[in-house]
Amino acid sequence: MNTSATPTTPTAAGAAAPRRRVLAQARFEVGSLLRNGEQLLVSLVLPALALVGLSATTSPSLGPGTRIDVATPGVIALCVISAAFTSQAISTGFDRRYAVLRYLGVTPLGRGGLVAAKVAATLAVEAIQIGVIAVLGLVLGWRPEVAGIAYAVLFVVLGTWAFVALALLLAGTLRAEAVLAIANLVWVLLLAVGGVVVPRSELPAGVSHVVALLPSAGLADGLRSALVDGQLNLLALAVVLAWGLVATVLAARLFRFDD
């Protein structure tokens, strides 16, 4: 009895160890993101202010529908972009610069575990963001379409994948200073003309057709279709999936753990 039980104990412990390592790293990543004042501002404070501002004004135009109902899915999309792209690109870029990634890559956590921890940490931060924005939206009169909540969750998960892949592609190929500048610039551009807060239907026709191909518009369009109309937007889904696949392949090929 004792001899047969002996080999199974290390096996069980060994199977659980990678999961514990990933969760421990994910907790560290979440703590780092929440302690970073600049990233907390971009990830939570600015989206909340944007929602309040959009609900209290009549400009810019958000198109047909109740204003808060249209604004809230867009702000949720902004939260995903902030956490999955801007924050992850900047933190990963500086971790790479200071050789943190190289050292973590050779620990028992491993490179795959490191990526898994970053994705888990991003989803945890997004859960906090979306929870705050949802409560704030409900207080301001938001009434989401219950039938579309599952579709919205699907878009949040796939959007997170696509934007984390884009963040790793950026952070793994450029120097940290360039990553910082580009990540913040992209955030501003997507906020202004990326079909996120202002629906792309309200942009000029020529611009709207181009913006429709961006992952930001795909994510925001999908969330609006889900939470306003209760429908699955297949075109938006295809856009997000395409960006996720391409960015993942490129990041896997081009990402460098050393600066």
Side-chain angles (χ1 to χ4, degrees), residues 169-254:
L169 176 60
L170 179 65
T173 54
L174 299 178
R175 297 184 66 84
E177 293 81 4
V179 172
L180 176 63
I182 293 173
N184 282 317
L185 177 62
V186 168
W187 187 87
V188 172
L189 290 175
L190 293 181
L191 173 63
V193 293
V196 180
V197 172
V198 178
R200 64 180 184 84
S201 59
E202 298 305 298
L203 300 174
V207 176
S208 176
H209 293 146
V210 174
V211 170
L213 302 177
L214 297 178
S216 56
L219 174 60
D221 286 353
L223 287 172
R224 287 193 187 93
S225 294
L227 296 174
V228 176
D229 303 319
Q231 298 177 352
L232 177 62
N233 189 325
L234 293 177
L235 179 59
L237 184 65
V239 170
V240 175
L241 284 173
W243 277 93
L245 288 170
V246 172
T248 298
V249 171
L250 290 177
R253 290 176 62 89
L254 302 176

Side-chain angles (χ1 to χ4, degrees), residues 116-173:
K118 285 185 174 295
V119 173
T122 301
L123 289 172
V125 171
E126 287 175 359
I128 298 171
Q129 291 175 293
I130 294 172
V132 171
I133 294 301
V135 170
L136 181 59
L138 291 171
V139 170
L140 294 172
W142 178 43
R143 295 296 178 265
E145 180 57 58
V146 176
I149 290 178
Y151 299 144
V153 172
L154 174 64
F155 270 97
V156 167
V157 172
L158 293 179
T160 299
W161 163 49
F163 279 103
V164 166
L166 287 168
L168 294 179
L169 176 60
L170 179 65
T173 54

